[in-house]
Amino acid sequence: QVHLVESGGGVVQPGGSLTLSCAASGFHFESFAMSWFRQVPGKEREVVCVVSASGLSTNCADYVEGRFTISRDNVKNTLSLQMNNLKPEDTAVYYCTRLGSYYNPELADFWGRGTQVTVSS
């Protein structure tokens, strides 16, 4: 059974940094592209960053590019999101997500429960 557990969320000041982690189990983690999505209440989930199964390719949305870095450890079966220079608009619930394709993040097939990130003074 696929199991994705996010951690690392919290409250930070604008300009601050935070690292999110995702522990994956129940599947061949190294065979799947992974991603981080985020969602604000009342709005649709949006992709933040994606990483290929090998970890060699990454891509992030324009609004976080240069500030966020996605990475993975295929030995520990973990996914990470390093967030720097956080802005109030980054406030959302962040989800660890398994993807069917690195090139089509809309084809996510499994989600974690999410972790709250709040950026506020």
Side-chain angles (χ1 to χ4, degrees):
Q1 54 183 359
V2 176
H3 194 202
L4 302 173
V5 181
E6 300 95 337
S7 63
V11 180
V12 297
Q13 295 183 335
S17 298
L18 198 64
T19 300
L20 304 184
S21 296
C22 171
S25 61
F27 66 102
H28 292 151
F29 180 74
E30 71 280 3
S31 297
F32 290 85
M34 299 291 294
S35 71
W36 288 96
F37 277 70
R38 69 185 186 186
Q39 184 175 34
V40 176
K43 296 185 177 181
E44 187 59 69
R45 287 173 175 172
E46 58 185 11
V47 63
V48 179
C49 295
V50 298
V51 60
S52 63
S54 68
L56 296 178
S57 298
T58 64
N59 190 31
C60 292
D62 291 343
Y63 48 83
V64 302
E65 192 167 4
R67 299 188 297 121
F68 290 12
T69 302
I70 188 172
S71 62
R72 65 191 297 161
D73 187 330
N74 285 350
V75 174
K76 296 182 178 180
N77 286 6
T78 57
L79 179 74
S80 297
L81 183 67
Q82 176 64 51
M83 304 183 292
N84 298 320
N85 191 25
L86 284 161
K87 303 176 180 180
E89 52 263 43
D90 293 320
T91 296
V93 176
Y94 285 71
Y95 297 89
C96 175
T97 310
R98 192 180 82 170
L99 302 179
S101 173
Y102 169 75
Y103 303 100
N104 294 283
E106 70 274 11
L107 299 179
D109 64 5
F110 223 88
W111 302 74
R113 292 182 175 84
T115 185
Q116 177 71 48
V117 172
T118 301
V119 185
S120 176
S121 298

